[in-house]
């Protein structure tokens, strides 16, 4: 069950609307390596995890990613406030505007709607942990790319925070992978799938 | 960002406690980190009560109805101090 706290994890106060920047940043809302995909990936993977450290880790990181989803949505919202139709047209924001006005929708920067095919739940602890390490790096790269494309220091400050969190999550998943391999058969990590075979043993 | 605003100080304390909590998922027996987390949680709780007194409830458990609904919601920066 989720508890909501009525405060952002990190402060966001954008003074200058910028629909061009919003169009880029929205990829971390509904794009392939964005926060929605991250939260759904981790919150879904945790069901088939056999070890409590990993159940906890996936629950906690998945929850934090929902907080980040809120932050990216906030950035898009504040960057598209008080726009004139002229500004919308000049920024090329008209293609988004026609379908969503200045609402916040789960889309990638390309306009492609959010797609769950962007993440995997393989039901195998090694595969899933490696997926998560890669996911955090992809998110980090996306934030790096955003920093190349956006200038506003109010925006960059928030992006740098989010980027730093991806690096920390990567670190935590790395530790999670080590914990998992310590628990597996030291002669053969692939001898069995602890996400599935332990149940089979009961039959 | 106003580093001294009540909201920012609350966010900082909550974040410190959260980061410690996450670390403890993969280092569950780290006593030193548990103590640090406790310290930041106390700080965050104190700041949360102060914040709620001034601005209204932070969770569904600490407020409902008009109090819960009142502005600002977290994504709204109109009328906020910088």
């Amino acid at each position: 069950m989720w508890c909501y706290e009525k405060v952002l994890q990190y402060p966001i106060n954008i003074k200058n609307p910028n629909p061009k920047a919003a169009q880029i940043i929205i990829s971390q809302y509904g794009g392939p390596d964005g926060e929605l995909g991250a939260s759904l990936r981790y919150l879904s993977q945790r069901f088939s995890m056999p070890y409590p450290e990993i159940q906890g880790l996936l629950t906690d990181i998945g929850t934090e990613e929902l907080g980040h989803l809120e932050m990216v949505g906030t950035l898009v919202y504040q960057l598209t406030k008080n726009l004139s139709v002229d500004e919308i047209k000049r920024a090329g924001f008209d293609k988004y505007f026609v379908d969503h006005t200045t609402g916040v929708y789960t889309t990638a920067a390309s306009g492609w709607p959010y797609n769950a095919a962007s993440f995997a739940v393989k039901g195998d602890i090694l595969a899933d942990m490696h997926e998560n390490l890669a996911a955090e790096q992809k998110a980090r790269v996306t934030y790096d790319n955003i920093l190349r494309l956006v200038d506003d220091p109010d925006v960059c400050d928030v992006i740098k925070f989010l980027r730093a969190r991806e690096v920390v999550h990567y670190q935590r998943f790395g530790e999670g992978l080590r914990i998992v391999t310590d628990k597996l058969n030291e002669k053969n990590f692939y001898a069995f799938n602890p996400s599935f075979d332990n149940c089979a043993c009961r039959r | 960002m106003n580093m001294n605003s009540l909201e920012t100080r609350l966010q900082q304390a909550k974040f410190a406690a959260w980061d410690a909590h996450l670390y403890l998922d993969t280092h569950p027996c780290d006593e030193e980190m548990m103590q640090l987390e406790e310290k930041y949680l106390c700080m965050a709780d104190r700041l949360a009560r102060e914040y709620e007194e001034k601005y209204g409830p932070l969770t569904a458990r600490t407020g409902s109805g008009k109090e819960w609904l009142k502005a600002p919601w977290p994504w709204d920066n109109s009328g906020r101090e910088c």
Side-chain angles (χ1 to χ4, degrees):
Chain A
M1 171 57 190
W2 271 270
C3 179
Y4 178 72
E5 292 187 89
K6 203 174 161 192
V7 64
L8 296 177
Q9 188 184 43
Y10 187 87
I12 299 180
N13 186 11
I14 308 305
K15 303 184 213 59
N16 303 309
N18 183 342
K20 256 201 146 84
Q23 279 187 119
I24 303 288
I25 288 164
I26 206 166
S27 248
Q28 280 305 87
Y29 196 74
D33 304 311
E35 304 291 353
L36 177 60
S39 25
L40 291 176
R41 179 193 289 103
Y42 306 143
L43 295 173
S44 302
Q45 279 181 9
R46 64 198 178 118
F47 292 105
S48 58
M49 287 295 167
Y51 307 128
E53 295 91 338
I54 311 305
Q55 291 167 327
L57 193 64
L58 288 169
T59 300
D60 288 339
I61 296 185
T63 300
E64 186 177 354
E65 303 293 20
L66 287 175
H68 295 171
L69 181 67
E70 181 180 44
M71 284 175 63
V72 179
T74 297
L75 280 169
V76 172
Y77 166 74
Q78 291 187 9
L79 285 166
T80 53
K81 271 169 75 176
N82 304 321
L83 295 174
S84 68
V85 171
D86 214 57
E87 283 169 312
I88 287 168
K89 283 193 205 166
R90 270 190 282 119
F93 190 64
D94 45 357
K95 290 178 225 16
Y96 179 92
F97 179 84
V98 69
D99 288 328
H100 309 292
T101 329
T102 52
V104 177
Y105 182 66
T106 48
T107 175
S110 63
W112 199 252
Y114 176 72
N115 190 340
S118 67
F119 73 84
V121 179
K122 201 70 180 173
D124 172 290
I125 199 167
L126 286 174
D128 284 341
M129 292 308 282
H130 283 93
E131 155 95 6
N132 300 344
L133 290 167
E136 294 296 347
Q137 287 297 330
K138 288 188 284 185
R140 189 266 310 163
V141 172
T142 315
Y143 283 124
D144 274 336
N145 291 342
I146 290 171
L147 288 171
R148 289 178 204 274
L149 295 168
V150 171
D151 284 321
D152 183 341
D154 289 338
V155 175
C156 293
D157 182 54
V158 180
I159 299 295
K160 284 182 202 161
F161 171 82
L162 290 168
R163 181 194 175 283
R165 292 310 290 162
E166 307 300 5
V167 175
V168 170
H169 292 169
Y170 175 80
Q171 179 76 23
R172 297 285 92 85
F173 282 130
E175 290 154 8
L177 180 60
R178 187 187 37 80
I179 288 171
V180 166
T181 51
D182 283 350
K183 291 185 201 270
L184 291 175
N185 181 335
E186 61 185 13
K187 294 204 181 79
N188 178 9
F189 290 151
Y190 308 119
F192 65 97
N193 175 358
S195 299
F196 181 74
D197 292 313
N198 281 338
C199 310
C201 291
R202 279 193 239 118
R203 281 194 252 109
Chain B
M1 168 200 338
N2 179 356
M3 292 299 287
N4 293 319
S5 77
L6 179 53
E7 186 187 37
T8 306
R9 284 183 289 126
L10 171 63
Q11 285 164 322
Q12 284 172 332
K14 277 161 59 65
F15 176 71
W18 172 256
D19 206 28
H21 173 85
L22 201 54
Y23 180 87
L24 288 162
D25 279 343
T26 50
H27 304 78
C29 302
D30 189 327
E31 284 301 328
E32 210 182 311
M33 190 56 80
M34 297 229 68
Q35 283 172 27
L36 253 184
E37 192 205 12
E38 183 57 41
K39 170 179 148 192
Y40 290 129
L41 275 177
C42 285
M43 211 186 281
D45 283 341
R46 186 181 35 85
L47 286 164
R49 299 295 82 82
E50 204 184 319
Y51 180 93
E52 287 183 316
E53 197 102 344
K54 229 177 151 184
Y55 300 113
L58 281 168
T59 70
R61 289 181 65 189
T62 54
S64 299
K66 273 170 74 175
E67 279 303 297
W68 172 247
L69 296 171
K70 73 179 182 188
W73 282 79
W75 53 88
D76 181 8
N77 67 332
S78 53
R80 266 183 210 274
E81 31 184 311
C82 288

